[in-house]
Amino acid sequence: MGRHPVAAFGMFFAVFPFLMPYKSLASQVLIFGLFALGFNLLYGYTGLLSFGHAAYYGLGAYGTGIALAKLKLGSLWLGIAAGPLLAVLGGIAIGFFCLRRRGIYFAMLTLAFAQLLYFVAFHLSDVTGGDDGLRGIPQLPLNLFGWKIDLEGSLAFYYFTFVLVWLAVAGLKRILDSPFGTVLQAIRENGDRAAACGYDVRRVKHLSFVFSAFFAGLAGGLDALRLAVVPVESLYWVTSGQVVIMTLLGGAGTFFGPFVGAGTYLVLGDRLAVFTERWPLVIGLIFMAFVLFLPKGIWGTLIDRLPGGTSAGAKP
Protein backbone atom coordinates (compact mmCIF):
# COMPACT_ATOMS: atom_id res chain seq x y z
CA MET A 1 0.00 0.00 0.00
CA GLY A 2 2.86 2.39 0.83
CA ARG A 3 4.52 1.90 -2.59
CA HIS A 4 1.36 1.87 -4.69
CA PRO A 5 -1.26 3.90 -2.82
CA VAL A 6 -3.33 4.74 -5.91
CA ALA A 7 -3.64 1.06 -6.88
CA ALA A 8 -4.47 0.17 -3.27
CA PHE A 9 -7.14 2.87 -3.26
CA GLY A 10 -8.66 1.44 -6.45
CA MET A 11 -8.72 -2.14 -5.17
CA PHE A 12 -10.32 -1.23 -1.85
CA PHE A 13 -12.99 1.12 -3.16
CA ALA A 14 -13.87 -1.24 -6.04
CA VAL A 15 -15.51 -3.53 -3.45
CA PHE A 16 -16.37 -0.82 -0.93
CA PRO A 17 -20.12 -0.50 -1.75
CA PHE A 18 -20.62 -4.17 -0.84
CA LEU A 19 -19.20 -3.50 2.63
CA MET A 20 -21.61 -0.63 3.32
CA PRO A 21 -25.19 -0.85 4.65
CA TYR A 22 -26.39 0.78 1.41
CA LYS A 23 -24.79 2.00 -1.81
CA SER A 24 -25.67 5.69 -1.47
CA LEU A 25 -23.65 5.87 1.76
CA ALA A 26 -20.64 4.45 -0.09
CA SER A 27 -20.94 7.24 -2.71
CA GLN A 28 -21.22 9.81 0.08
CA VAL A 29 -18.01 8.50 1.69
CA LEU A 30 -16.16 8.78 -1.63
CA ILE A 31 -17.40 12.34 -2.24
CA PHE A 32 -16.67 13.65 1.25
CA GLY A 33 -13.35 11.79 1.21
CA LEU A 34 -12.45 13.75 -1.92
CA PHE A 35 -13.58 16.96 -0.23
CA ALA A 36 -11.36 16.16 2.77
CA LEU A 37 -8.52 15.20 0.41
CA GLY A 38 -8.63 18.71 -1.07
CA PHE A 39 -8.68 20.27 2.39
CA ASN A 40 -5.79 18.04 3.44
CA LEU A 41 -3.66 19.33 0.56
CA LEU A 42 -3.98 22.83 1.97
CA TYR A 43 -3.80 22.01 5.67
CA GLY A 44 -1.95 18.70 5.99
CA TYR A 45 0.66 19.31 3.28
CA THR A 46 0.93 23.11 3.08
CA GLY A 47 0.18 24.02 6.69
CA LEU A 48 -2.66 26.44 5.93
CA LEU A 49 -5.72 25.97 8.14
CA SER A 50 -8.87 27.06 6.33
CA PHE A 51 -12.10 27.46 8.30
CA GLY A 52 -14.09 28.22 5.16
CA HIS A 53 -13.47 25.32 2.80
CA ALA A 54 -17.21 24.90 2.27
CA ALA A 55 -16.89 27.88 -0.09
CA TYR A 56 -15.25 25.75 -2.80
CA TYR A 57 -17.39 22.69 -2.12
CA GLY A 58 -20.51 24.87 -2.38
CA LEU A 59 -19.26 26.71 -5.46
CA GLY A 60 -18.62 23.35 -7.11
CA ALA A 61 -22.10 22.13 -6.21
CA TYR A 62 -23.77 25.33 -7.46
CA GLY A 63 -21.59 25.39 -10.60
CA THR A 64 -22.74 21.92 -11.63
CA GLY A 65 -26.31 22.50 -10.46
CA ILE A 66 -26.77 25.83 -12.26
CA ALA A 67 -25.15 24.49 -15.44
CA LEU A 68 -27.60 21.58 -15.60
CA ALA A 69 -30.75 23.00 -14.00
CA LYS A 70 -30.67 26.67 -15.07
CA LEU A 71 -28.48 26.79 -18.19
CA LYS A 72 -29.92 23.47 -19.40
CA LEU A 73 -26.59 22.11 -20.65
CA GLY A 74 -27.36 18.78 -22.23
CA SER A 75 -23.97 17.23 -21.44
CA LEU A 76 -23.18 15.57 -18.12
CA TRP A 77 -19.48 16.18 -18.70
CA LEU A 78 -19.99 19.93 -19.18
CA GLY A 79 -22.09 20.03 -16.03
CA ILE A 80 -19.38 18.27 -14.02
CA ALA A 81 -16.67 20.53 -15.46
CA ALA A 82 -18.61 23.66 -14.49
CA GLY A 83 -18.42 22.79 -10.77
CA PRO A 84 -14.63 22.63 -10.26
CA LEU A 85 -14.17 25.50 -12.74
CA LEU A 86 -16.31 27.82 -10.59
CA ALA A 87 -14.51 26.57 -7.46
CA VAL A 88 -11.11 27.27 -9.03
CA LEU A 89 -12.18 30.81 -9.93
CA GLY A 90 -13.33 31.25 -6.33
CA GLY A 91 -10.02 29.81 -5.08
CA ILE A 92 -8.01 32.24 -7.21
CA ALA A 93 -9.94 35.27 -5.96
CA ILE A 94 -10.31 34.29 -2.29
CA GLY A 95 -6.75 32.97 -2.06
CA PHE A 96 -5.42 36.26 -3.41
CA PHE A 97 -6.84 38.12 -0.40
CA CYS A 98 -6.55 35.48 2.34
CA LEU A 99 -2.88 34.65 1.70
CA ARG A 100 -1.94 38.21 2.63
CA ARG A 101 -2.41 37.18 6.25
CA ARG A 102 -1.04 34.34 8.36
CA GLY A 103 -2.24 32.10 11.17
CA ILE A 104 -5.56 32.84 12.79
CA TYR A 105 -6.08 35.91 10.58
CA PHE A 106 -5.83 33.71 7.48
CA ALA A 107 -8.25 31.17 9.00
CA MET A 108 -10.81 33.84 9.92
CA LEU A 109 -10.59 35.45 6.48
CA THR A 110 -11.39 32.12 4.81
CA LEU A 111 -14.37 31.72 7.14
CA ALA A 112 -15.55 35.25 6.39
CA PHE A 113 -15.44 34.71 2.62
CA ALA A 114 -17.33 31.41 2.94
CA GLN A 115 -20.05 33.08 5.01
CA LEU A 116 -20.20 35.92 2.49
CA LEU A 117 -20.87 33.40 -0.28
CA TYR A 118 -23.47 31.69 1.91
CA PHE A 119 -25.45 34.90 2.36
CA VAL A 120 -25.14 35.73 -1.35
CA ALA A 121 -26.53 32.28 -2.24
CA PHE A 122 -29.24 32.66 0.41
CA HIS A 123 -30.53 35.92 -1.08
CA LEU A 124 -30.07 35.14 -4.79
CA SER A 125 -33.05 32.83 -4.72
CA ASP A 126 -33.82 33.25 -8.44
CA VAL A 127 -30.49 31.62 -9.28
CA THR A 128 -29.66 29.44 -6.28
CA GLY A 129 -33.11 28.60 -4.92
CA GLY A 130 -32.29 30.46 -1.69
CA ASP A 131 -33.31 28.71 1.51
CA ASP A 132 -35.09 25.94 -0.46
CA GLY A 133 -31.92 25.00 -2.30
CA LEU A 134 -31.34 24.62 -6.02
CA ARG A 135 -33.72 21.96 -7.29
CA GLY A 136 -34.53 20.38 -10.61
CA ILE A 137 -31.04 19.05 -11.42
CA PRO A 138 -31.66 16.46 -14.15
CA GLN A 139 -30.27 12.94 -13.91
CA LEU A 140 -28.53 12.91 -17.28
CA PRO A 141 -27.18 9.60 -18.61
CA LEU A 142 -23.44 9.13 -19.03
CA ASN A 143 -22.47 9.35 -22.69
CA LEU A 144 -19.28 7.30 -23.13
CA PHE A 145 -17.95 6.59 -26.63
CA GLY A 146 -21.47 6.47 -28.03
CA TRP A 147 -22.83 4.36 -25.16
CA LYS A 148 -25.43 5.83 -22.84
CA ILE A 149 -25.27 4.59 -19.27
CA ASP A 150 -28.12 5.36 -16.88
CA LEU A 151 -26.76 6.73 -13.57
CA GLU A 152 -30.06 6.72 -11.67
CA GLY A 153 -29.18 3.39 -10.04
CA SER A 154 -27.18 3.80 -6.84
CA LEU A 155 -24.54 1.21 -7.84
CA ALA A 156 -24.05 2.74 -11.32
CA PHE A 157 -23.64 6.19 -9.78
CA TYR A 158 -21.17 4.82 -7.22
CA TYR A 159 -18.87 3.41 -9.90
CA PHE A 160 -19.16 6.59 -11.95
CA THR A 161 -18.10 8.55 -8.84
CA PHE A 162 -15.43 5.99 -8.05
CA VAL A 163 -13.70 6.43 -11.43
CA LEU A 164 -13.65 10.24 -11.16
CA VAL A 165 -12.42 10.17 -7.56
CA TRP A 166 -9.77 7.60 -8.45
CA LEU A 167 -8.50 9.88 -11.23
CA ALA A 168 -8.47 12.79 -8.75
CA VAL A 169 -6.51 10.69 -6.24
CA ALA A 170 -3.98 9.77 -8.94
CA GLY A 171 -3.68 13.46 -9.85
CA LEU A 172 -3.09 14.46 -6.25
CA LYS A 173 -0.47 11.75 -5.84
CA ARG A 174 1.31 13.11 -8.91
CA ILE A 175 1.25 16.60 -7.41
CA LEU A 176 2.65 15.40 -4.08
CA ASP A 177 5.41 13.37 -5.77
CA SER A 178 6.52 16.33 -7.90
CA PRO A 179 9.07 18.99 -6.84
CA PHE A 180 6.07 21.25 -6.24
CA GLY A 181 4.76 18.79 -3.64
CA THR A 182 8.13 18.77 -1.90
CA VAL A 183 8.11 22.57 -1.76
CA LEU A 184 4.63 22.48 -0.21
CA GLN A 185 5.92 20.33 2.62
CA ALA A 186 8.99 22.54 3.02
CA ILE A 187 6.69 25.54 3.44
CA ARG A 188 4.61 23.62 5.95
CA GLU A 189 7.71 22.89 8.03
CA ASN A 190 9.26 26.35 7.82
CA GLY A 191 7.95 28.96 5.39
CA ASP A 192 10.63 31.52 6.19
CA ARG A 193 13.42 29.02 5.47
CA ALA A 194 11.72 28.01 2.20
CA ALA A 195 11.61 31.70 1.21
CA ALA A 196 15.30 32.03 2.12
CA CYS A 197 16.01 29.14 -0.27
CA GLY A 198 14.56 31.23 -3.09
CA TYR A 199 11.02 29.87 -3.39
CA ASP A 200 8.15 32.25 -4.04
CA VAL A 201 6.21 31.12 -0.98
CA ARG A 202 3.06 33.16 -1.59
CA ARG A 203 2.78 31.95 -5.18
CA VAL A 204 3.26 28.31 -4.17
CA LYS A 205 0.66 28.70 -1.40
CA HIS A 206 -1.74 30.26 -3.89
CA LEU A 207 -1.30 27.34 -6.28
CA SER A 208 -1.94 24.92 -3.42
CA PHE A 209 -5.04 26.95 -2.52
CA VAL A 210 -6.34 26.68 -6.11
CA PHE A 211 -5.59 22.95 -6.40
CA SER A 212 -7.36 22.40 -3.09
CA ALA A 213 -10.37 24.38 -4.35
CA PHE A 214 -10.45 22.23 -7.49
CA PHE A 215 -10.72 18.96 -5.53
CA ALA A 216 -13.33 20.42 -3.17
CA GLY A 217 -15.30 21.79 -6.15
CA LEU A 218 -15.26 18.42 -7.91
CA ALA A 219 -16.61 16.83 -4.73
CA GLY A 220 -19.35 19.46 -4.55
CA GLY A 221 -20.33 18.88 -8.19
CA LEU A 222 -20.55 15.12 -7.66
CA ASP A 223 -22.69 15.62 -4.55
CA ALA A 224 -25.07 17.86 -6.53
CA LEU A 225 -25.51 14.99 -8.99
CA ARG A 226 -25.97 12.48 -6.17
CA LEU A 227 -28.66 14.49 -4.39
CA ALA A 228 -30.18 16.19 -7.50
CA VAL A 229 -30.39 19.28 -5.29
CA VAL A 230 -27.92 21.82 -3.89
CA PRO A 231 -28.86 22.89 -0.33
CA VAL A 232 -27.66 26.33 0.69
CA GLU A 233 -26.05 24.65 3.72
CA SER A 234 -23.34 23.35 1.37
CA LEU A 235 -21.75 26.82 1.79
CA TYR A 236 -22.40 27.07 5.53
CA TRP A 237 -19.69 27.10 8.20
CA VAL A 238 -20.94 23.76 9.58
CA THR A 239 -19.87 22.07 6.33
CA SER A 240 -16.42 23.66 6.74
CA GLY A 241 -16.28 22.27 10.29
CA GLN A 242 -17.22 18.79 9.12
CA VAL A 243 -14.33 18.57 6.68
CA VAL A 244 -11.90 19.75 9.39
CA ILE A 245 -13.20 17.01 11.73
CA MET A 246 -13.00 14.34 9.02
CA THR A 247 -9.42 15.24 8.14
CA LEU A 248 -8.19 15.39 11.74
CA LEU A 249 -10.09 12.21 12.62
CA GLY A 250 -8.45 10.31 9.76
CA GLY A 251 -5.02 11.90 10.05
CA ALA A 252 -3.92 15.24 8.56
CA GLY A 253 -0.86 15.03 6.33
CA THR A 254 -1.51 11.39 5.41
CA PHE A 255 -2.60 10.29 1.97
CA PHE A 256 -5.49 8.01 3.01
CA GLY A 257 -6.39 9.82 6.22
CA PRO A 258 -9.14 12.01 4.67
CA PHE A 259 -10.99 8.95 3.33
CA VAL A 260 -10.59 7.10 6.63
CA GLY A 261 -11.92 10.14 8.50
CA ALA A 262 -14.82 10.69 6.09
CA GLY A 263 -15.78 7.02 6.25
CA THR A 264 -15.59 6.95 10.05
CA TYR A 265 -17.61 10.16 10.45
CA LEU A 266 -20.34 9.27 7.96
CA VAL A 267 -20.77 5.57 8.79
CA LEU A 268 -20.68 6.23 12.53
CA GLY A 269 -23.17 9.07 12.16
CA ASP A 270 -25.46 6.93 10.02
CA ARG A 271 -25.49 4.05 12.50
CA LEU A 272 -25.81 6.26 15.59
CA ALA A 273 -28.73 8.16 14.02
CA VAL A 274 -30.74 4.93 14.18
CA PHE A 275 -30.57 5.02 17.99
CA THR A 276 -30.44 8.71 18.89
CA GLU A 277 -30.99 12.09 17.28
CA ARG A 278 -28.12 13.40 19.43
CA TRP A 279 -25.54 11.51 17.37
CA PRO A 280 -23.46 14.69 16.71
CA LEU A 281 -22.80 14.83 20.47
CA VAL A 282 -21.28 11.33 20.36
CA ILE A 283 -19.21 12.22 17.29
CA GLY A 284 -18.01 15.35 19.09
CA LEU A 285 -16.90 13.35 22.13
CA ILE A 286 -15.04 10.87 19.92
CA PHE A 287 -13.37 13.75 18.08
CA MET A 288 -12.29 15.32 21.38
CA ALA A 289 -10.82 11.99 22.50
CA PHE A 290 -8.78 11.73 19.30
CA VAL A 291 -7.50 15.30 19.57
CA LEU A 292 -6.45 14.72 23.20
CA PHE A 293 -5.03 11.20 23.01
CA LEU A 294 -4.42 10.36 19.31
CA PRO A 295 -3.63 13.68 17.59
CA LYS A 296 -2.31 11.94 14.48
CA GLY A 297 -5.75 10.52 13.76
CA ILE A 298 -6.79 6.96 12.99
CA TRP A 299 -4.68 6.41 9.89
CA GLY A 300 -1.71 8.46 11.10
CA THR A 301 -1.55 6.51 14.36
CA LEU A 302 -1.93 3.18 12.57
CA ILE A 303 0.89 3.69 10.07
CA ASP A 304 3.16 5.09 12.78
CA ARG A 305 2.82 1.80 14.66
CA LEU A 306 3.50 -0.34 11.60
CA PRO A 307 7.10 -1.47 10.89
CA GLY A 308 8.89 1.34 9.06
CA GLY A 309 6.30 3.92 10.08
CA THR A 310 7.42 7.51 10.44
CA SER A 311 5.98 10.52 12.16
CA ALA A 312 7.34 13.09 9.72
CA GLY A 313 6.88 13.90 6.06
CA ALA A 314 4.39 12.52 3.56
CA LYS A 315 2.72 9.29 4.57
CA PRO A 316 0.75 6.79 2.51
Side-chain angles (χ1 to χ4, degrees):
M1 179 175 287
R3 297 180 63 181
H4 304 288
V6 178
F9 175 90
M11 286 189 286
F12 177 76
F13 280 99
V15 298
F16 185 63
F18 304 102
L19 306 176
M20 290 289 99
Y22 47 93
K23 308 298 182 295
S24 179
L25 181 60
S27 299
Q28 194 179 8
V29 169
L30 266 183
I31 291 169
F32 273 84
L34 178 61
F35 182 21
L37 195 73
F39 173 78
N40 192 39
L41 175 65
L42 191 64
Y43 174 61
Y45 288 99
T46 316
L48 295 171
L49 176 58
S50 167
F51 282 159
H53 232 56
Y56 318 105
Y57 176 81
L59 284 174
Y62 276 113
T64 296
I66 290 172
L68 295 177
K70 297 289 185 182
L71 301 180
K72 305 294 184 184
L73 296 183
S75 168
L76 180 64
W77 294 115
L78 288 177
I80 292 174
L85 176 61
L86 187 60
V88 163
L89 292 176
I92 292 172
I94 296 173
F96 175 80
F97 293 105
C98 292
L99 288 169
R100 295 175 182 278
R101 291 292 179 267
R102 292 184 177 186
I104 189 63
Y105 303 104
F106 167 83
M108 296 311 295
L109 271 176
T110 58
L111 175 62
F113 274 106
Q115 286 300 99
L116 176 67
L117 289 175
Y118 168 78
F119 283 107
V120 169
F122 189 89
H123 290 289
L124 281 180
S125 55
D126 289 343
V127 179
T128 64
D131 193 27
D132 294 330
L134 178 63
R135 298 178 183 275
I137 300 173
Q139 297 279 345
L140 296 178
L142 173 65
N143 194 338
L144 194 65
F145 305 116
W147 291 82
K148 287 192 175 181
I149 303 172
D150 187 2
L151 297 179
E152 291 189 3
S154 56
L155 193 60
F157 183 79
Y158 172 83
Y159 281 108
F160 168 70
T161 304
F162 164 66
V163 171
L164 289 182
V165 173
W166 194 5
L167 290 174
V169 166
L172 181 69
K173 185 71 172 68
R174 184 68 189 87
I175 290 172
L176 294 176
D177 287 346
S178 69
F180 174 75
T182 305
V183 175
L184 290 183
Q185 295 169 60
I187 291 173
R188 177 192 64 189
E189 298 301 322
N190 193 321
D192 292 335
R193 188 171 296 175
C197 290
Y199 294 111
D200 188 338
V201 171
R202 182 179 291 181
R203 185 180 178 189
V204 173
K205 284 182 176 178
H206 202 175
L207 279 173
S208 175
F209 204 100
V210 173
F211 279 131
S212 179
F214 171 82
F215 291 116
L218 179 59
L222 288 171
D223 208 36
L225 294 176
R226 182 181 71 89
L227 297 172
V229 61
V230 180
V232 72
E233 287 78 11
S234 61
L235 286 164
Y236 202 44
W237 64 268
V238 173
T239 306
S240 297
Q242 285 176 336
V243 78
V244 174
I245 292 174
M246 288 175 184
T247 305
L248 293 178
L249 199 58
T254 64
F255 195 74
F256 290 119
F259 285 96
V260 173
T264 303
Y265 182 95
L266 294 172
V267 174
L268 200 58
D270 181 80
R271 295 296 89 190
L272 288 171
V274 175
F275 302 102
T276 175
E277 62 183 17
R278 296 183 175 85
W279 63 268
L281 175 64
V282 181
I283 296 275
L285 292 173
I286 292 172
F287 177 66
M288 288 170 58
F290 267 91
V291 170
L292 289 172
F293 303 110
L294 296 172
K296 293 179 181 177
I298 298 170
W299 190 251
T301 303
L302 180 64
I303 62 174
D304 261 4
R305 294 183 180 180
L306 291 174
T310 175
S311 59
K315 302 173 185 176

